[in-house]
Amino acid sequence: MDDLDDMDHRIVSALRACGTDPRVAGAARALSWAGEHGALWLAAGVTAAAVDPPRRTAWLRGTALTAGAHVVSMGLKRVVRRPRPAHVVPLVRTAGRHSFPSSHATSAAAAAVVFGALGVRAAWPLAAAVCASRLVVGVHYPSDVAAGAALGALTARLGADWMCGGTRD
């Protein structure tokens, strides 16, 4: 694990250094803020449900899967209790002091899976940007983000049949 920890530290240091560019820092802060508690994804899902009545149930179920994945990641944080990177100065404040898994990455990957299944092509690149932002702002290790993304994608994939079963009201 020492090699993984060393690599985690070096990668977060390198990506956090990208945040010295004010444009990169601003974009990373905005993405981190939008992804806080899954807000970006929950707002998008509820909005889509409102404007797409034929698939309203699928949108709402996909949004519920995204929220559920986020809640699971928050619970895992309380169990694992990994501290956030202390060797870099963060660009944003965080809601908590635990790092593993990244709840931003969890909700982003869950949303990418469910919204992607509903035809939103921009979901994956936006989710990847949210995940990367957590490294640039210096509040997660790459392994936190990878684990969060895997958890979110798995949670959403496990609920995909339930979500798609509700494509008609």
Side-chain angles (χ1 to χ4, degrees), residues 6 27 37 44 46 48-49 51 72 74 86 88 90 93 103 109 121 124 126 133 136 144 146 155 157 165:
D6 183 53
H37 301 293
V46 170
V51 300
V72 169
M74 290 176 18
V88 296
R93 292 183 187 200
S103 294
R121 293 180 193 261
W124 281 104
L126 184 56
S133 77
V136 173
D144 301 334
T155 302
R157 186 63 200 112

Side-chain angles (χ1 to χ4, degrees), residues 71-90:
V71 168
V72 169
S73 74
M74 290 176 18
L76 279 174
K77 278 184 193 238
R78 295 187 195 291
V79 171
V80 175
R81 305 178 70 83
R82 181 184 194 186
R84 293 188 185 274
H87 67 287
V88 296
V89 177

